[in-house]
Amino acid sequence: MAQNVFKGLGIALITPFNEDGSVDYQSLERLVDYQIKNGADFLCILATTGEAPCLTKEEKDKITEVIKKIDHGRVPILKYCGGNNTAAVIDELRTTDWNGIDGILSICPFYNKPSQEGLYQHFKAIASASPLPVVMYNVPGRTSVNMKAETTVRLAKDFPNIIGIKEACGSLEQVDEIIKNKPDTFDVISGDDALTFPMIASGAVGVISVIGNALPKQFSKMIRLEFNGEYEPARKIHHMFTELYSLLFVDGNPAGCKALLNDMGMIKNVLRLPLVPTTINTKQKMADILKQLNLI
């Protein structure tokens, strides 16, 4: 039976770019090493925060190879493979070289707005075709469809290789319902930095984090304290980041995160259209918080 190795702090890895818009592989290598050395438990690659829709297949393949090389087996890698054309996702699952990858992250189909039965059949097809354990990704703010708790639990019970869900529905009530009814072999992972503290308190096993790109040491400390039942010091770290959580997403993701990393001297502040860098005002506010926290 498939085991979930995606616990603790997962990084929703950004893709750094050079000023000319090409992929900055040098910065990518430094970033991956920095995160692993500072508490990252696994890497989630080539998904939303990685600007995957704006990367070519050749770039994705090279990024994957660079990450595997720098990771060198130190932490598990969860790689995105999803979309709103079920047949195309199945084809990608069957034709991709998954060597060195530990699991697949697959999003609820976007734009098509399938029913709950449509969602079930989509993930059933993926589970049946996948050579690796599957983590589903529910993010209604991006897909316009919410996979209900009962559908998630039904999939978890029917397919042992569906090992978890990255849940970003924004509803702690829905998260609680999944955790209450799920089988022991299935885990909930937070898909929302701001809700990670309460979600772990409710029984989630970790987070796929945006803020972790820049601040893995601090965010992983909060998670480890919670796992140890030390809620008071964990809460202090959570509250320390409250303003930063909202600033990170006010101008879209990963614009906020890239601005943070730029202020820390780790990457150039470049995104690919249709995304653009965060406003000067937001960037300044985040820089001020970093200074207060003695992080720059």
Side-chain angles (χ1 to χ4, degrees):
M1 188 172 286
Q3 295 290 313
N4 177 29
V5 295
F6 306 109
K7 298 183 180 185
L9 175 63
I11 308 294
L13 193 65
I14 63 124
T15 302
F17 298 118
N18 292 304
E19 296 293 355
D20 64 1
S22 62
V23 178
D24 181 354
Y25 293 103
Q26 205 172 359
S27 292
L28 179 65
E29 290 185 10
R30 282 199 310 271
L31 198 58
V32 168
D33 198 50
Y34 161 76
Q35 288 156 357
I36 295 171
K37 284 178 175 171
N38 284 281
D41 296 299
F42 66 96
L43 301 172
C44 180
I45 70 170
L46 294 170
T48 313
T49 308
E51 296 177 70
C54 300
L55 295 168
T56 66
K57 184 184 183 305
E58 291 72 27
E59 287 171 330
K60 289 179 190 177
D61 289 346
K62 187 170 178 186
I63 287 166
T64 302
E65 290 310 309
V66 167
I67 292 167
K68 287 196 297 187
K69 181 187 80 175
I70 300 301
D71 175 32
H72 199 58
R74 287 180 287 174
V75 299
I77 298 174
L78 181 66
K79 185 176 178 179
Y80 177 82
C81 180
N84 60 344
N85 176 349
T86 309
V89 178
I90 302 305
D91 185 59
E92 189 178 343
L93 283 169
R94 288 182 173 148
T95 57
T96 300
D97 175 10
W98 296 106
N99 186 43
I101 303 298
D102 301 279
I104 286 155
L105 178 74
S106 206
I107 198 167
C108 291
F110 43 86
Y111 188 72
N112 309 21
K113 297 179 91 168
S115 66
Q116 294 300 305
E117 184 59 27
L119 290 169
Y120 177 86
Q121 294 297 335
H122 175 80
F123 282 113
K124 175 185 177 180
I126 286 171
S128 302
S130 178
L132 290 172
V134 176
V135 176
M136 302 182 294
Y137 180 18
N138 185 37
V139 56
R142 287 185 178 274
T143 63
S144 293
V145 61
N146 176 41
M147 186 156 70
K148 293 178 180 174
E150 63 210 57
T151 307
T152 299
V153 171
R154 183 183 167 203
L155 284 158
K157 287 178 175 174
D158 289 354
F159 303 99
N161 66 329
I162 298 181
I163 56 166
I165 185 166
K166 177 186 177 185
E167 188 54 86
C169 62
S171 164
L172 290 172
E173 187 180 358
Q174 180 165 313
V175 167
D176 213 39
E177 197 180 333
I178 297 168
I179 290 169
K180 178 183 167 187
N181 297 309
K182 72 176 182 65
D184 291 342
T185 52
F186 182 88
D187 289 319
V188 174
I189 303 164
S190 172
D192 186 336
D193 284 335
L195 292 181
T196 298
F197 178 82
M199 280 181 69
I200 288 177
S202 295
V205 300
V207 61
I208 294 174
S209 170
V210 174
I211 201 171
N213 276 280
L215 307 171
K217 188 180 280 186
Q218 295 78 5
F219 212 57
S220 68
K221 186 179 179 187
M222 180 191 85
I223 292 165
R224 283 164 173 69
L225 286 166
E226 269 198 280
F227 284 162
N228 291 334
E230 298 176 61
Y231 290 101
E232 197 50 47
R235 190 182 293 113
K236 281 182 180 163
I237 297 171
H238 168 62
H239 286 153
M240 193 167 77
F241 290 141
T242 307
E243 194 182 352
L244 209 47
Y245 292 144
S246 57
L247 286 171
L248 271 178
F249 296 97
V250 72
D251 297 318
N253 183 44
C257 181
K258 283 195 161 181
L260 265 189
L261 287 163
N262 178 248
D263 281 332
M264 294 169 72
M266 299 193 70
I267 64 164
K268 298 168 189 76
N269 193 23
V270 180
L271 293 91
R272 280 190 179 170
L273 288 170
L275 301 181
V276 294
T278 194
T279 64
I280 293 167
N281 186 36
T282 305
K283 195 171 191 288
Q284 188 55 56
K285 284 180 184 172
M286 287 196 292
D288 291 344
I289 293 170
L290 287 179
K291 281 174 193 158
Q292 285 167 24
L293 299 173
N294 295 315
L295 295 171
I296 57 170

PDB file of all heavy atoms in Angstrom, residues 222-239:
ATOM      1  N   MET A 222       7.433  26.412  13.156  1.00  0.00           N
ATOM      2  CA  MET A 222       6.036  26.468  13.617  1.00  0.00           C
ATOM      3  C   MET A 222       5.380  25.093  13.497  1.00  0.00           C
ATOM      4  O   MET A 222       4.714  24.624  14.437  1.00  0.00           O
ATOM      5  CB  MET A 222       5.251  27.480  12.773  1.00  0.00           C
ATOM      6  CG  MET A 222       3.793  27.616  13.177  1.00  0.00           C
ATOM      7  SD  MET A 222       2.802  28.583  11.989  1.00  0.00           S
ATOM      8  CE  MET A 222       2.378  27.304  10.795  1.00  0.00           C
ATOM      9  N   ILE A 223       5.588  24.434  12.374  1.00  0.00           N
ATOM     10  CA  ILE A 223       4.969  23.125  12.136  1.00  0.00           C
ATOM     11  C   ILE A 223       5.505  22.083  13.112  1.00  0.00           C
ATOM     12  O   ILE A 223       4.736  21.317  13.710  1.00  0.00           O
ATOM     13  CB  ILE A 223       5.212  22.689  10.668  1.00  0.00           C
ATOM     14  CG1 ILE A 223       4.431  23.614   9.724  1.00  0.00           C
ATOM     15  CG2 ILE A 223       4.814  21.235  10.442  1.00  0.00           C
ATOM     16  CD1 ILE A 223       4.869  23.523   8.275  1.00  0.00           C
ATOM     17  N   ARG A 224       6.824  22.078  13.327  1.00  0.00           N
ATOM     18  CA  ARG A 224       7.422  21.100  14.243  1.00  0.00           C
ATOM     19  C   ARG A 224       6.944  21.312  15.685  1.00  0.00           C
ATOM     20  O   ARG A 224       6.710  20.351  16.414  1.00  0.00           O
ATOM     21  CB  ARG A 224       8.951  21.159  14.162  1.00  0.00           C
ATOM     22  CG  ARG A 224       9.501  20.465  12.915  1.00  0.00           C
ATOM     23  CD  ARG A 224      10.952  20.849  12.619  1.00  0.00           C
ATOM     24  NE  ARG A 224      11.518  20.075  11.531  1.00  0.00           N
ATOM     25  CZ  ARG A 224      11.162  20.169  10.243  1.00  0.00           C
ATOM     26  NH1 ARG A 224      10.216  21.017   9.902  1.00  0.00           N
ATOM     27  NH2 ARG A 224      11.738  19.433   9.318  1.00  0.00           N
ATOM     28  N   LEU A 225       6.817  22.574  16.076  1.00  0.00           N
ATOM     29  CA  LEU A 225       6.301  22.866  17.419  1.00  0.00           C
ATOM     30  C   LEU A 225       4.881  22.321  17.566  1.00  0.00           C
ATOM     31  O   LEU A 225       4.538  21.714  18.587  1.00  0.00           O
ATOM     32  CB  LEU A 225       6.315  24.380  17.682  1.00  0.00           C
ATOM     33  CG  LEU A 225       7.689  25.006  17.947  1.00  0.00           C
ATOM     34  CD1 LEU A 225       7.608  26.525  17.844  1.00  0.00           C
ATOM     35  CD2 LEU A 225       8.222  24.592  19.318  1.00  0.00           C
ATOM     36  N   GLU A 226       4.070  22.521  16.547  1.00  0.00           N
ATOM     37  CA  GLU A 226       2.690  22.000  16.590  1.00  0.00           C
ATOM     38  C   GLU A 226       2.674  20.484  16.673  1.00  0.00           C
ATOM     39  O   GLU A 226       1.893  19.907  17.437  1.00  0.00           O
ATOM     40  CB  GLU A 226       1.914  22.458  15.353  1.00  0.00           C
ATOM     41  CG  GLU A 226       1.193  23.759  15.548  1.00  0.00           C
ATOM     42  CD  GLU A 226       0.111  23.973  14.503  1.00  0.00           C
ATOM     43  OE1 GLU A 226       0.448  24.386  13.385  1.00  0.00           O
ATOM     44  OE2 GLU A 226      -1.068  23.731  14.813  1.00  0.00           O
ATOM     45  N   PHE A 227       3.498  19.834  15.862  1.00  0.00           N
ATOM     46  CA  PHE A 227       3.554  18.370  15.898  1.00  0.00           C
ATOM     47  C   PHE A 227       3.915  17.869  17.298  1.00  0.00           C
ATOM     48  O   PHE A 227       3.497  16.796  17.705  1.00  0.00           O
ATOM     49  CB  PHE A 227       4.583  17.839  14.887  1.00  0.00           C
ATOM     50  CG  PHE A 227       4.119  17.891  13.449  1.00  0.00           C
ATOM     51  CD1 PHE A 227       5.050  17.812  12.417  1.00  0.00           C
ATOM     52  CD2 PHE A 227       2.781  18.013  13.114  1.00  0.00           C
ATOM     53  CE1 PHE A 227       4.635  17.845  11.080  1.00  0.00           C
ATOM     54  CE2 PHE A 227       2.361  18.053  11.786  1.00  0.00           C
ATOM     55  CZ  PHE A 227       3.292  17.960  10.768  1.00  0.00           C
ATOM     56  N   ASN A 228       4.705  18.663  18.022  1.00  0.00           N
ATOM     57  CA  ASN A 228       5.111  18.298  19.389  1.00  0.00           C
ATOM     58  C   ASN A 228       4.096  18.729  20.446  1.00  0.00           C
ATOM     59  O   ASN A 228       4.335  18.566  21.640  1.00  0.00           O
ATOM     60  CB  ASN A 228       6.478  18.920  19.731  1.00  0.00           C
ATOM     61  CG  ASN A 228       7.604  18.281  18.942  1.00  0.00           C
ATOM     62  OD1 ASN A 228       7.489  17.131  18.531  1.00  0.00           O
ATOM     63  ND2 ASN A 228       8.678  19.021  18.724  1.00  0.00           N
ATOM     64  N   GLY A 229       2.984  19.327  20.003  1.00  0.00           N
ATOM     65  CA  GLY A 229       1.970  19.780  20.951  1.00  0.00           C
ATOM     66  C   GLY A 229       2.301  21.097  21.628  1.00  0.00           C
ATOM     67  O   GLY A 229       1.633  21.493  22.592  1.00  0.00           O
ATOM     68  N   GLU A 230       3.323  21.795  21.118  1.00  0.00           N
ATOM     69  CA  GLU A 230       3.724  23.085  21.719  1.00  0.00           C
ATOM     70  C   GLU A 230       3.009  24.217  20.973  1.00  0.00           C
ATOM     71  O   GLU A 230       3.591  24.936  20.170  1.00  0.00           O
ATOM     72  CB  GLU A 230       5.242  23.234  21.642  1.00  0.00           C
ATOM     73  CG  GLU A 230       5.994  22.159  22.431  1.00  0.00           C
ATOM     74  CD  GLU A 230       7.491  22.259  22.271  1.00  0.00           C
ATOM     75  OE1 GLU A 230       8.054  23.313  22.640  1.00  0.00           O
ATOM     76  OE2 GLU A 230       8.100  21.304  21.749  1.00  0.00           O
ATOM     77  N   TYR A 231       1.724  24.364  21.267  1.00  0.00           N
ATOM     78  CA  TYR A 231       0.876  25.275  20.485  1.00  0.00           C
ATOM     79  C   TYR A 231       1.145  26.750  20.754  1.00  0.00           C
ATOM     80  O   TYR A 231       1.015  27.571  19.852  1.00  0.00           O
ATOM     81  CB  TYR A 231      -0.603  24.944  20.727  1.00  0.00           C
ATOM     82  CG  TYR A 231      -0.999  23.627  20.110  1.00  0.00           C
ATOM     83  CD1 TYR A 231      -1.117  22.480  20.892  1.00  0.00           C
ATOM     84  CD2 TYR A 231      -1.198  23.513  18.738  1.00  0.00           C
ATOM     85  CE1 TYR A 231      -1.452  21.261  20.317  1.00  0.00           C
ATOM     86  CE2 TYR A 231      -1.526  22.300  18.157  1.00  0.00           C
ATOM     87  CZ  TYR A 231      -1.657  21.170  18.947  1.00  0.00           C
ATOM     88  OH  TYR A 231      -1.967  19.963  18.377  1.00  0.00           O
ATOM     89  N   GLU A 232       1.533  27.091  21.972  1.00  0.00           N
ATOM     90  CA  GLU A 232       1.731  28.514  22.285  1.00  0.00           C
ATOM     91  C   GLU A 232       2.895  29.124  21.492  1.00  0.00           C
ATOM     92  O   GLU A 232       2.714  30.138  20.813  1.00  0.00           O
ATOM     93  CB  GLU A 232       1.917  28.705  23.795  1.00  0.00           C
ATOM     94  CG  GLU A 232       1.719  30.137  24.274  1.00  0.00           C
ATOM     95  CD  GLU A 232       0.420  30.784  23.781  1.00  0.00           C
ATOM     96  OE1 GLU A 232      -0.647  30.160  23.874  1.00  0.00           O
ATOM     97  OE2 GLU A 232       0.480  31.908  23.258  1.00  0.00           O
ATOM     98  N   PRO A 233       4.090  28.519  21.539  1.00  0.00           N
ATOM     99  CA  PRO A 233       5.182  29.090  20.721  1.00  0.00           C
ATOM    100  C   PRO A 233       4.896  28.991  19.224  1.00  0.00           C
ATOM    101  O   PRO A 233       5.292  29.861  18.450  1.00  0.00           O
ATOM    102  CB  PRO A 233       6.415  28.256  21.103  1.00  0.00           C
ATOM    103  CG  PRO A 233       5.910  27.051  21.799  1.00  0.00           C
ATOM    104  CD  PRO A 233       4.579  27.407  22.384  1.00  0.00           C
ATOM    105  N   ALA A 234       4.177  27.949  18.795  1.00  0.00           N
ATOM    106  CA  ALA A 234       3.814  27.816  17.375  1.00  0.00           C
ATOM    107  C   ALA A 234       2.866  28.946  16.974  1.00  0.00           C
ATOM    108  O   ALA A 234       3.006  29.541  15.894  1.00  0.00           O
ATOM    109  CB  ALA A 234       3.145  26.467  17.117  1.00  0.00           C
ATOM    110  N   ARG A 235       1.923  29.261  17.864  1.00  0.00           N
ATOM    111  CA  ARG A 235       0.959  30.331  17.581  1.00  0.00           C
ATOM    112  C   ARG A 235       1.670  31.672  17.436  1.00  0.00           C
ATOM    113  O   ARG A 235       1.289  32.512  16.621  1.00  0.00           O
ATOM    114  CB  ARG A 235      -0.097  30.396  18.689  1.00  0.00           C
ATOM    115  CG  ARG A 235      -1.278  31.318  18.357  1.00  0.00           C
ATOM    116  CD  ARG A 235      -2.272  31.401  19.490  1.00  0.00           C
ATOM    117  NE  ARG A 235      -2.951  30.143  19.710  1.00  0.00           N
ATOM    118  CZ  ARG A 235      -2.800  29.382  20.802  1.00  0.00           C
ATOM    119  NH1 ARG A 235      -1.978  29.760  21.760  1.00  0.00           N
ATOM    120  NH2 ARG A 235      -3.457  28.263  20.923  1.00  0.00           N
ATOM    121  N   LYS A 236       2.712  31.880  18.227  1.00  0.00           N
ATOM    122  CA  LYS A 236       3.459  33.151  18.154  1.00  0.00           C
ATOM    123  C   LYS A 236       4.090  33.323  16.774  1.00  0.00           C
ATOM    124  O   LYS A 236       4.082  34.424  16.213  1.00  0.00           O
ATOM    125  CB  LYS A 236       4.533  33.188  19.243  1.00  0.00           C
ATOM    126  CG  LYS A 236       3.957  33.531  20.612  1.00  0.00           C
ATOM    127  CD  LYS A 236       5.022  33.617  21.672  1.00  0.00           C
ATOM    128  CE  LYS A 236       4.373  33.968  23.013  1.00  0.00           C
ATOM    129  NZ  LYS A 236       5.263  33.677  24.129  1.00  0.00           N
ATOM    130  N   ILE A 237       4.631  32.235  16.219  1.00  0.00           N
ATOM    131  CA  ILE A 237       5.220  32.308  14.877  1.00  0.00           C
ATOM    132  C   ILE A 237       4.116  32.562  13.847  1.00  0.00           C
ATOM    133  O   ILE A 237       4.272  33.396  12.949  1.00  0.00           O
ATOM    134  CB  ILE A 237       5.996  31.014  14.537  1.00  0.00           C
ATOM    135  CG1 ILE A 237       7.174  30.827  15.505  1.00  0.00           C
ATOM    136  CG2 ILE A 237       6.504  31.048  13.089  1.00  0.00           C
ATOM    137  CD1 ILE A 237       7.884  29.488  15.393  1.00  0.00           C
ATOM    138  N   HIS A 238       3.002  31.881  14.004  1.00  0.00           N
ATOM    139  CA  HIS A 238       1.853  32.064  13.102  1.00  0.00           C
ATOM    140  C   HIS A 238       1.410  33.533  13.084  1.00  0.00           C
ATOM    141  O   HIS A 238       1.228  34.128  12.027  1.00  0.00           O
ATOM    142  CB  HIS A 238       0.712  31.151  13.565  1.00  0.00           C
ATOM    143  CG  HIS A 238      -0.613  31.429  12.925  1.00  0.00           C
ATOM    144  ND1 HIS A 238      -0.826  31.306  11.572  1.00  0.00           N
ATOM    145  CD2 HIS A 238      -1.798  31.834  13.471  1.00  0.00           C
ATOM    146  CE1 HIS A 238      -2.095  31.617  11.308  1.00  0.00           C
ATOM    147  NE2 HIS A 238      -2.695  31.940  12.440  1.00  0.00           N
ATOM    148  N   HIS A 239       1.276  34.119  14.255  1.00  0.00           N
ATOM    149  CA  HIS A 239       0.832  35.518  14.346  1.00  0.00           C
ATOM    150  C   HIS A 239       1.888  36.503  13.830  1.00  0.00           C
ATOM    151  O   HIS A 239       1.559  37.574  13.342  1.00  0.00           O
ATOM    152  CB  HIS A 239       0.441  35.857  15.787  1.00  0.00           C
ATOM    153  CG  HIS A 239      -0.872  35.243  16.180  1.00  0.00           C
ATOM    154  ND1 HIS A 239      -1.189  34.923  17.484  1.00  0.00           N
ATOM    155  CD2 HIS A 239      -1.943  34.883  15.436  1.00  0.00           C
ATOM    156  CE1 HIS A 239      -2.410  34.395  17.513  1.00  0.00           C
ATOM    157  NE2 HIS A 239      -2.872  34.352  16.287  1.00  0.00           N
TER     158      HIS A 239
END
